[in-house]
Amino acid sequence: MDLQNEKCVMVIDEHLSLGLIANTAAIMGITLGKKMPEVVGADVSDQSGNTHLGIIEFPVPILKGSPEIIKEIREKLYQPEFQDLTVVDFSDLAQGCKTYEEFIEKMGQVPESSLQYFGIAVCGPKKKVNKLTGSMPLLR
């Protein structure tokens, strides 16, 4: 993977509570780490000799979104032009489930159009990620 030409962003609904924003980012980040283990660097040691697990080798800006903007991006990501991007979404349905089995069951019973997305993470070639999110402001 050419890390110089890769980009990863998260777009999160700015209207969520701080706790849900943090939860959304954490869940999407864990999923990205599983899906893209090659972007996580080697473990490092500090001067005292303590080991710290490796982190992602490039920044992951968190961008300000709304449910409508996130939904629009999600719909575009189903188009053939964007099939090579890695996409993680997190929805109201997922957040409301207590177990993964419940998530699997409920997800299989609802159309995509009824999902309200809390956030979406998009990783891949910089040009494509920028085409989708390049003008969006940071979530602060």
Side-chain angles (χ1 to χ4, degrees), residues 35-49:
K35 188 72 176 171
M36 303 171 58
E38 70 279 5
V39 302
V40 178
D43 296 351
V44 298
S45 296
D46 61 32
Q47 187 179 32
S48 302

Side-chain angles (χ1 to χ4, degrees), residues 11-15 63-70 136-137 139:
V11 181
I12 298 179
D13 181 353
E14 67 178 308
H15 300 104
L63 307 176
K64 185 188 303 188
S66 67
E68 298 79 23
I69 290 169
I70 297 167
M136 299 180 74
L139 178 62

Side-chain angles (χ1 to χ4, degrees), residues 71 74-75 78 110-117:
K71 184 77 159 181
R74 186 65 186 110
E75 288 172 1
Y78 287 118
V110 299
E112 189 275 339
S113 60
S114 71
L115 297 173
Q116 179 180 337
Y117 294 105

Side-chain angles (χ1 to χ4, degrees), residues 33-93:
K34 179 183 181 219
K35 188 72 176 171
M36 303 171 58
E38 70 279 5
V39 302
V40 178
D43 296 351
V44 298
S45 296
D46 61 32
Q47 187 179 32
S48 302
N50 298 313
T51 302
H52 304 268
L53 294 179
I55 61 172
I56 191 165
E57 293 188 34
F58 50 83
V60 181
I62 298 182
L63 307 176
K64 185 188 303 188
S66 67
E68 298 79 23
I69 290 169
I70 297 167
K71 184 77 159 181
E72 181 181 310
I73 292 169
R74 186 65 186 110
E75 288 172 1
K76 286 180 184 177
L77 287 162
Y78 287 118
Q79 296 174 6
E81 172 185 4
F82 298 110
Q83 291 299 306
D84 60 333
L85 298 178
T86 299
V87 179
V88 180
D89 58 54
F90 187 63
S91 66
D92 56 341
L93 184 142

Side-chain angles (χ1 to χ4, degrees), residues 5 18 31 44 46 59 73 86 97 104 126-127 132:
N5 291 312
L18 187 56
T31 302
V44 298
D46 61 32
I73 292 169
T86 299
C97 293
I104 293 169
K126 279 183 185 179
K127 286 183 181 181
L132 293 165

